[in-house]
Amino acid sequence: MSDSSKPRYQQLKDLIITQISSGELGPHDRVPSENELVERMSVSRMTANRALRELTDEGYVERVAGRGTFVSDFRSRSHMLEVHNIADEITQRRHRHTCDVLRNSRQHARGEIAKALDVEQGTDVFHLLLVHFENGVPIQVEDRHVLAEFAPGCAGQDFRSITPSAYLTSIAPLQEAEQVVRAQLPNAAVRRHLQMPEDEPCLVVMRRTWAHGRPVTFARLHHPGSRYELTGHYTPPGTSTSASGGVVQLEKLQR
Amino acid sequence: MSDSSKPRYQQLKDLIITQISSGELGPHDRVPSENELVERMSVSRMTANRALRELTDEGYVERVAGRGTFVSDFRSRSHMLEVHNIADEITQRRHRHTCDVLRNSRQHARGEIAKALDVEQGTDVFHLLLVHFENGVPIQVEDRHVLAEFAPGCAGQDFRSITPSAYLTSIAPLQEAEQVVRAQLPNAAVRRHLQMPEDEPCLVVMRRTWAHGRPVTFARLHHPGSRYELTGHYTPPGTSTSASGGVVQLEKLQR
DNA sequence: ATCACCAAGTTGTATATACAGGCTAGTCCA
DNA sequence: TGGACTAGCCTGTATATACAACTTGGTGAT
């Protein structure tokens, strides 16, 4: 971790990031001050300052002149930013998440699915169908296909306690995802699962996720239009917080 | 602009950003070196270094040790990323953009609008109603309110040639935007403007935009669900390009 | 008890200095 | 002519130092 080929300020950053992500330092905990880092890590104050300042820009910590540096709780939000795990979003709202598993079967990919996963027709995949509830109200139908080769353990997995997305990220880190958002009327089955009135549209998110350099799962997520919305925040390139071009962050998903 | 209350490094940044956005410095142009800034601006090299380094982090410039600092051409892409100007998106697809202006009137803000713009009930606003066409097919109904104080020239503006969003960004740069995406059935008027069948839902984007530190415009954008979708791309925090947490970029809007 | 004040610690900024390493153009030598 | 080398500029990093502004907690006077 503390690669001596890296610059000193980066080593300091890595050290603190490690402590934060390991939970050793939790939100609102105090981070060593610049002067403490000077003494304990044998660096100059400017180097400690740069490390802490960049951690601030990147949202890891917040600094208050006169008081100190504290672990930001934005990181957890940032994890929640993960559009991937609806269970986390719900529990973070202090609501109750439950889930029905309607299907968990091994199949041969064909048509649209094979194309989305970029594999031959007939390749082994798992087909998952789940309904997610927030405080007992159905909020998402998750219709997901996963490459069997990538996640052979799917068959024996109880997806009521660990959502598919959590399970998949535990196998390999997410590399990249591509998603499409649409407004669509649901078919009868989805409408029944979401307990929606006849003429209510769905907000549909289709997401394709990469790991090991190739697409490994394709999910179609239906949400009831009257109970769900996507909210985002746009920051132009130049502004204070670090930026990677004009960007819309999907922050929370609720209603 | 060069507010002397701002820190010196920020003044340097502002100076260079101004030159870039005014076109005085174009992509691949050379930016003054640290030593040139030291001499011409009477700052220490570390201050010049910080200014240029932060501009690098923010994507304005690229630096090559031994050669110099050069304006990045990522800015142009970043402008395309702008989710704001549907005319640009359409022409970028080499399609034909046209536009009907159904309304351009001065009103008193009330209810939801006053609340969204964070002003007193009765404050003067312009109410714009436009329909945008792609190759003659209606693709967006733009229902927008603008603070009259911010854009007094709205009344005389011909929004067929310059879209409201282009006009507004010409008045003052966009600072921040907040948006919500929903799936909703349109009312009769919107359905007629978009020439949609009876039971087709809309993808609705509601966007509030800040300039000079306060919200100046609120737009409700209706798109026909069968002809429009949002696509995005997700890159996890750790990967190559600078990162500000998990982020979904809204790239293009089409279908 | 309350208020005013001050000292210590913290961040924020700015400067001067130093050395390492990358890149380029020009020079010098064969 | 061609190739090796070097001087000079550039960025990247690191240190020591300094002053300003903010926050907190304690001290002392009222």
Side-chain angles (χ1 to χ4, degrees), chain B residues 93-133:
Chain B
R93 291 200 280 275
R94 303 179 168 276
H95 287 182
R96 180 171 47 92
H97 169 258
T98 51
C99 173
D100 282 353
V101 180
L102 303 181
R103 179 179 208 123
N104 180 352
S105 65
R106 201 173 181 117
Q107 293 186 347
H108 299 292
R110 55 186 202 283
E112 190 198 3
I113 303 300
K115 194 177 161 192
L117 294 176
D118 195 24
V119 294
E120 296 292 318
Q121 302 268 333
T123 306
D124 267 13
V125 294
F126 285 101
H127 180 203
L128 308 176
L129 189 62
L130 294 86
V131 185
H132 296 272
F133 299 84

Side-chain angles (χ1 to χ4, degrees), chain A residues 13 53-61 74-75 78 81 233-249, chain B residues 10 13 53-60 74-75 175 237-247 249:
Chain A
K13 286 176 64 180
R53 177 158 40 82
E54 294 197 357
L55 288 175
T56 307
D57 292 340
E58 293 161 16
Y60 285 98
V61 300
F74 182 78
R75 291 308 291 177
S78 163
L81 272 188
H233 191 82
Y234 179 93
T235 315
T239 333
S240 59
T241 58
S242 82
S244 58
V247 151
V248 173
Q249 298 189 344
Chain B
Q10 185 63 52
K13 286 176 63 179
R53 176 156 42 81
E54 294 197 356
L55 288 176
T56 307
D57 292 340
E58 292 161 16
Y60 285 97
F74 182 77
R75 300 293 297 172
Q175 281 188 337
T239 333
S240 60
T241 58
S242 84
S244 58
V247 152
Q249 298 188 343

Side-chain angles (χ1 to χ4, degrees), chain A residues 50 53 81 174-177 179-183 185 199 201-202 229-234 236-238 243 246-248, chain B residues 50 53 60 75 78 81 174-177 179-182 185 199 201 229-234 236 242 246-248:
Chain A
R50 176 165 178 184
R53 177 158 40 82
L81 272 188
L174 161 77
Q175 280 187 337
E176 215 176 334
Q179 73 177 18
V180 180
V181 179
R182 286 187 193 161
L185 282 182
D199 58 350
C202 277
E229 65 187 20
L230 287 167
T231 79
H233 191 82
Y234 179 93
V247 151
V248 173
Chain B
R50 175 165 179 183
R53 176 156 42 81
Y60 285 97
R75 300 293 297 172
S78 154
L81 275 184
L174 161 77
Q175 281 188 337
E176 216 175 334
Q179 72 176 19
V180 179
V181 179
R182 286 187 191 161
L185 282 181
D199 58 351
E229 65 187 20
L230 287 166
T231 78
H233 191 82
Y234 178 92
S242 84
V247 152
V248 175

Side-chain angles (χ1 to χ4, degrees), chain A residues 180-215:
Chain A
V180 180
V181 179
R182 286 187 193 161
Q184 250 175 20
L185 282 182
N187 62 29
V190 169
R191 192 172 65 231
R192 197 178 62 247
H193 292 136
L194 291 175
Q195 299 167 24
M196 290 165 59
E198 181 90 29
D199 58 350
E200 185 181 317
C202 277
L203 194 65
V204 186
V205 176
M206 281 162 294
R207 185 179 301 130
R208 203 151 61 120
T209 308
W210 273 252
H212 302 319
R214 67 187 206 281

